[in-house]
Amino acid sequence: KAGVTQTPRYLIKTRGQQVTLSCSPISGHRSVSWYQQTPGQGLQFLFEYFSETQRNKGNFPGRFSGRQFSNSRSEMNVSTLELGDSALYLCASSYHTGSTGELFFGEGSRLTVL
Amino acid sequence: GQQLNQSPQSMFIQEGEDVSMNCTSSSIFNTWLWYKQDPGEGPVLLIALYKAGELTSNGRLTAQFGITRKDSFLNISASIPSDVGIYFCAGQRPLGDSSYKLIFGSGTRLLVRP
């Protein structure tokens, strides 16, 4: 079965702009989680969606938001970009609401903010 | 906030050597997981552990769930060049409202010299 698909793979933005990243989970998976990965901070949890509802949220400012559609696809948005938002954004899906911790990750969207 | 202490941060070893890495926490987890991230890819689940004391193998990989539920280790035997990557531990526990908290360690970067 097809894996988790993230688009775009790479993008460059400037400070103050906003960005939307997309994630298509594995078919049948209803939970989608988003993580930010940076060299200094490792994998930081952003939020989790299950059946179109946000189930859990990490410690990120309100500029970071997300949503999930009825087909389980998810998007995350970052508004008013800052240099420190440069990172690899990873999406992960699972069948249940992350109850087992067994996540299937996409290849990520690498965001560079100039 | 809650953290996992993963060590070592990096290892540079000779092909054929055995490798050991571990994660510790001040908190108890119900599940311990080990992921590997290849360059340019998202993390992939290697081993999941669900019971204290559990010892599980996956090929040349062996992981254990510490009996205190506050630690876990991963061993790789007879390393090969394709073992190169970043290894992450992750601990999970329920939050009491049917949601779960999954925390990742900072990663162990493994380099293998042929």
Side-chain angles (χ1 to χ4, degrees):
Chain A
K1 71 168 83 160
V4 177
T5 304
Q6 290 188 246
T7 57
R9 288 293 310 278
Y10 303 91
L11 66 167
I12 300 174
K13 294 285 188 177
T14 56
R15 278 182 300 175
Q17 287 187 310
Q18 67 92 28
V19 66
T20 299
L21 309 177
S22 179
C23 173
S24 293
I26 291 173
S27 178
H29 284 192
R30 298 163 64 191
S31 171
V32 173
S33 299
W34 288 90
Y35 289 83
Q36 181 195 65
Q37 184 176 23
T38 59
Q41 297 296 317
L43 281 160
Q44 300 292 312
F45 173 71
L46 283 156
F47 24 66
E48 182 202 359
Y49 288 87
F50 182 81
S51 293
E52 301 178 65
T53 301
Q54 187 179 89
R55 296 299 303 271
N56 213 342
K57 190 176 189 304
N59 297 323
F60 279 82
R63 299 185 297 108
F64 292 80
S65 63
R67 59 178 174 169
Q68 187 180 33
F69 302 96
S70 58
N71 62 359
S72 294
R73 191 177 70 83
S74 176
E75 289 181 347
M76 67 162 283
N77 183 277
V78 188
S79 62
T80 319
L81 284 166
E82 301 176 359
L83 295 179
D85 296 334
S86 294
L88 180 67
Y89 289 88
L90 291 162
C91 166
S93 76
S94 64
Y95 182 76
H96 297 290
T97 178
S99 60
T100 65
E102 296 183 19
L103 303 178
F104 294 82
F105 284 87
E107 294 179 314
S109 294
R110 184 166 295 281
L111 170 65
T112 302
V113 182
L114 303 176
Chain B
Q2 195 169 18
Q3 294 205 356
L4 292 183
N5 300 309
Q6 185 171 351
S7 64
Q9 277 190 323
S10 62
M11 304 179 74
F12 191 15
I13 62 170
Q14 186 72 40
E15 182 178 359
E17 288 184 352
D18 295 344
V19 171
S20 184
M21 59 191 79
N22 68 83
C23 268
T24 61
S25 173
S26 57
S27 302
I28 290 173
F29 290 102
N30 287 4
T31 303
W32 280 96
L33 308 108
W34 287 90
Y35 287 83
K36 181 195 176 195
Q37 185 175 27
D38 290 329
E41 306 282 330
V44 174
L45 180 65
L46 298 173
I47 293 179
L49 303 154
Y50 300 104
K51 285 168 38 175
E54 181 181 352
L55 184 72
T56 297
S57 293
N58 177 7
R60 293 178 296 106
L61 278 60
T62 301
Q64 184 158 30
F65 193 142
I67 57 173
T68 66
R69 297 167 64 190
K70 294 181 180 180
D71 63 330
S72 177
F73 73 74
L74 174 71
N75 286 343
I76 305 173
S77 63
S79 59
I80 58 178
S82 63
D83 291 333
V84 165
I86 304 176
Y87 293 79
F88 292 97
C89 64
Q92 175 161 290
R93 63 181 179 87
L95 292 177
D97 59 353
S98 77
S99 65
Y100 296 82
K101 192 174 184 76
L102 182 67
I103 299 172
F104 281 85
S106 54
T108 295
R109 183 179 296 274
L110 178 63
L111 296 173
V112 180
R113 187 167 46 228

